[in-house]
Amino acid sequence: MSNEYYEYELTLDKILDTGIRTFPDKEIVYRDIRRYTFSSFSNSVKRLVTGLKKLGVKKGERIGVLDWDTDVYFHTYYGVPLSGAVLHTINLRYPLDLIVKTILHAEDKYLVVRDEFVPLIEKAKNIIPPGMKVITYSDNKEKVKSPISNADFWELIESNEPTEEFDVKENDMSTIFYTSGTTGEPKGVWFTHRKLFMHAMSVALTGTRSPFNLSPEDVYMILVPMFHVHQWGFPFVTFLAGTKYVLPGRYDYGFILKLMEKEGVTYSAMVPTILHLLLTHPDAPKYTHVFKKWKITIGGSALPEGLARKARELGITVTTGYGLSETCPVLSMGYYNNVAQKLDAEKKFSLQISTGVPIPLVQIRVVDPDTGKDKKPGEIGEIVVRSPWLTKEYYKNPEKTAQLWRGGWLHTGDLAYIDEYGYLHIVDRDKDAIKSGGEFIPSLLLEDAISLHPKVAQVAVVGVKDQKWGERPVAFIVAKEKVTEDELRQFMLGLTDQGRIQKWWIPDKFIFVDTLPLTSTNKIDKKVLREMAEKNK
């Protein structure tokens, strides 16, 4: 028997290799500043690996990044893990004290910092551990002049030769980041090369299914911050799927629309807030021809039906996905299973904007939160999951890890039911559910109903304490045009007659606002809204 058997490790260099062998000339585009082919980008990443090692980076050390959605960030997605280090994608929308807290908790030894964020780190230089090295860069490749700068990013690439030697194994830690902190202190989650690889493979396969129908001819622009859950895995998916990838840098919605047209963007992923901002941008009417070719996956928070229908009217194919920071993130997507394929167009549309069906290799159950027993179809319970890419633990937090993984299933804290077609429908986050008179009012279904009013641009519903009922719903409304509370109440009474909602769900109060508060990942911040609602009682 030969002793030369090769154990194939699922590491990120294999994803790069697949891309350059099959799609060498496909492009990565950063705004109107720089372009790479897959081949030249791969070469650049391998130079970065050499540069990081010469700088002194050792296996297992953490390298934090503070940047927008740029080509530099894209380099670190591959270059840092392939150097043997661990990529810490820092949430740059955190306040400085929380940024520093995550840097310290992750035990970062190096930082990669865009020039405009250098003053932020300079403010924290007395808190950051001595000996930490800071790698800086600017878009125009001029060296950043700062006493905290130890190396120039571009020099690490341009002054070194590419390497083909990667001292990494599939179960090595590859990335770490921190949850958005909407339910308390941010918690660290981490993922191995293998987890990222398996996730990317499954997402790439799912993208080929209807109604996505994605192919190498598609052009991706993912409007999810690169610090947020690996940009939903798409920087890895693109090399497997062979798709052109467009990076918008800092989000400027007018510029994004121009870039979409210029680069021929056909597919994006984003939270509902970003879609709303793009479709209501003053320049949006000039880009209806672009919208007609556009396929979108919405995730991060529930897609209001009213927004989904507006997108469809513009010719956009809109679908949903579901996942968590703890799950890498994708668990389910609104593609058509073989049952849905046989349904009429309107029913298919309702399913593609639901929480969807599990993507390959994901197991999803809906269980009673107290007993752990499975709920029947149509019954509401908590979503628990298994897949090959879920985080093993909360970093240095065994107590929260035990809560997350009780019973051998990852507990999401999301309440949902499974319908007769096998599709998952989230009705609320456990923490957002409104318990009124001993019964739950599902805030997401209520938001969905209000969003159908033609004068409503955005809506969010939260519960406030009530002496009689325990809690009652309050709705926050961003209006497209002037609308009264009575108009909304009458509209909702009409929906009760249609059986869409129950009469007792109708909010006790409608609060009109110009904008809704957002979390660091552009989700509606219901914690802030609950505080506002209590003050408006």
Side-chain angles (χ1 to χ4, degrees), residues 26-84:
K26 282 299 174 82
E27 287 186 309
I28 296 166
V29 179
Y30 168 46
R31 293 176 72 93
D32 50 2
I33 299 174
R34 277 181 291 277
R35 311 177 83 89
Y36 307 79
T37 64
F38 278 13
S39 291
S40 66
F41 177 79
S42 177
N43 181 275
S44 191
V45 164
K46 292 171 183 178
R47 290 173 181 270
L48 175 61
V49 172
T50 304
L52 290 173
K53 288 185 175 180
K54 282 188 178 180
L55 189 63
V57 171
K58 295 181 176 60
K59 189 163 184 173
E61 290 185 328
R62 278 51 154 175
I63 301 179
V65 179
L66 277 166
D67 200 0
W68 303 116
D69 296 0
T70 70
D71 57 334
V72 167
Y73 218 146
F74 207 132
H75 274 82
T76 67
Y77 264 56
Y78 286 93
V80 170
L82 289 179
S83 74

Side-chain angles (χ1 to χ4, degrees), residues 27 43 50 93 102 122 127 192 239 259 317 324 411 458:
E27 287 186 309
N43 181 275
T50 304
R93 295 199 179 99
T102 61
E122 286 178 340
I127 309 172
T192 63
F239 271 82
L259 196 59
T317 300
L324 313 170
H411 287 250
Q458 287 181 289

Side-chain angles (χ1 to χ4, degrees), residues 167-306:
D167 181 23
V168 291
K169 300 292 184 182
E170 64 179 30
N171 289 318
D172 288 347
M173 186 187 293
S174 179
T175 63
I176 186 170
F177 61 88
Y178 287 76
T179 61
S180 58
T182 55
T183 57
E185 284 286 298
K187 298 178 286 293
V189 292
W190 59 273
F191 300 88
T192 63
H193 283 256
R194 183 179 188 274
K195 290 178 187 292
L196 296 178
F197 195 112
M198 296 293 288
H199 178 268
M201 290 281 287
S202 187
V203 173
L205 173 60
T206 305
T208 64
R209 299 179 175 181
S210 183
F212 301 102
N213 297 321
L214 297 177
S215 76
E217 303 309 308
D218 280 289
V219 178
Y220 289 4
M221 180 193 282
I222 306 303
L223 298 173
V224 176
M226 294 193 82
F227 64 73
H228 183 53
V229 205
H230 315 121
Q231 205 172 43
W232 296 357
F234 284 103
F236 306 119
V237 171
T238 194
F239 271 82
L240 295 174
T243 53
K244 178 178 171 181
Y245 207 85
V246 181
L247 295 154
R250 184 173 186 169
Y251 293 179
D252 172 334
Y253 299 103
F255 179 78
I256 284 172
L257 290 169
K258 289 180 184 176
L259 196 59
M260 285 177 60
E261 181 181 51
K262 179 184 176 184
E263 300 297 339
V265 170
T266 61
Y267 177 74
S268 298
M270 65 194 76
V271 298
T273 307
I274 301 296
L275 178 58
H276 167 74
L277 290 170
L278 286 168
L279 297 188
T280 57
H281 192 277
D283 292 341
K286 296 189 289 187
Y287 296 95
T288 53
H289 60 293
V290 176
F291 296 156
K292 289 175 182 176
K293 302 174 185 176
W294 205 17
K295 293 169 275 194
I296 295 175
T297 298
I298 295 290
S301 54
L303 172 63
E305 186 178 338

Side-chain angles (χ1 to χ4, degrees), residues 483-535:
V483 61
T484 67
E485 189 165 338
D486 187 59
E487 280 182 79
L488 291 173
R489 205 173 295 283
Q490 291 302 315
F491 175 76
M492 299 196 72
L493 285 170
L495 294 180
T496 66
D497 294 338
Q498 298 170 26
R500 288 201 58 141
I501 62 170
Q502 298 195 45
K503 188 175 181 179
W504 62 279
W505 291 7
I506 298 176
D508 287 0
K509 191 171 186 177
F510 294 85
I511 299 174
F512 296 93
V513 294
D514 293 330
T515 58
L516 294 171
L518 302 178
T519 68
S520 61
T521 52
N522 291 310
K523 302 175 188 177
I524 294 170
D525 194 334
K526 290 196 171 182
K527 184 167 59 176
V528 173
L529 290 179
R530 277 190 285 271
E531 293 169 359
M532 291 169 60
E534 289 291 341
K535 290 176 182 177

Side-chain angles (χ1 to χ4, degrees), residues 426-442:
I426 291 180
V427 298
D428 233 326
R429 284 287 293 167
D430 186 36
K431 64 184 175 65
D432 291 334
I434 303 163
K435 196 166 188 180
S436 185
E439 298 289 340
F440 281 111
I441 298 175

Side-chain angles (χ1 to χ4, degrees), residues 330-509:
V330 184
L331 296 170
S332 66
M333 296 181 81
Y335 64 90
Y336 301 149
N337 63 15
N338 71 314
V339 179
Q341 286 281 20
K342 304 168 188 174
L343 302 173
D344 63 62
E346 194 60 29
K347 186 59 183 177
K348 286 166 78 172
F349 178 71
S350 71
L351 293 178
Q352 75 191 53
I353 64 170
S354 71
T355 312
V357 286
I359 67 173
L361 306 182
V362 173
Q363 296 175 315
I364 290 181
R365 295 166 59 211
V366 172
V367 303
D368 184 300
D370 298 319
T371 66
K373 293 183 178 178
D374 288 277
K375 290 286 190 177
K376 296 177 182 177
E379 293 182 344
I380 294 173
E382 184 192 8
I383 301 171
V384 297
V385 298
R386 285 175 176 167
S387 86
W389 50 78
L390 310 184
T391 191
K392 180 180 179 180
E393 63 183 359
Y394 288 124
Y395 186 57
K396 296 191 292 189
N397 194 336
E399 183 181 337
K400 293 291 185 183
T401 299
Q403 293 176 22
L404 180 71
W405 274 106
R406 59 191 185 275
W409 290 79
L410 187 145
H411 287 250
T412 67
D414 288 322
L415 302 178
Y417 67 90
I418 296 175
D419 67 18
E420 67 269 36
Y421 307 112
Y423 282 73
L424 192 67
H425 298 260
I426 291 180
V427 298
D428 233 326
R429 284 287 293 167
D430 186 36
K431 64 184 175 65
D432 291 334
I434 303 163
K435 196 166 188 180
S436 185
E439 298 289 340
F440 281 111
I441 298 175
S443 67
L444 300 184
L445 298 185
L446 191 49
E447 288 166 358
D448 225 24
I450 298 171
S451 77
L452 295 172
H453 193 286
K455 294 182 182 179
V456 171
Q458 287 181 289
V459 56
V461 175
V462 296
V464 294
K465 292 177 183 176
D466 184 270
Q467 284 190 340
K468 182 178 180 181
W469 300 108
E471 284 187 311
R472 288 296 298 156
V474 170
F476 286 84
I477 304 293
V478 176
K480 295 177 185 175
E481 55 186 278
K482 187 172 177 58
V483 61
T484 67
E485 189 165 338
D486 187 59
E487 280 182 79
L488 291 173
R489 205 173 295 283
Q490 291 302 315
F491 175 76
M492 299 196 72
L493 285 170
L495 294 180
T496 66
D497 294 338
Q498 298 170 26
R500 288 201 58 141
I501 62 170
Q502 298 195 45
K503 188 175 181 179
W504 62 279
W505 291 7
I506 298 176
D508 287 0
K509 191 171 186 177

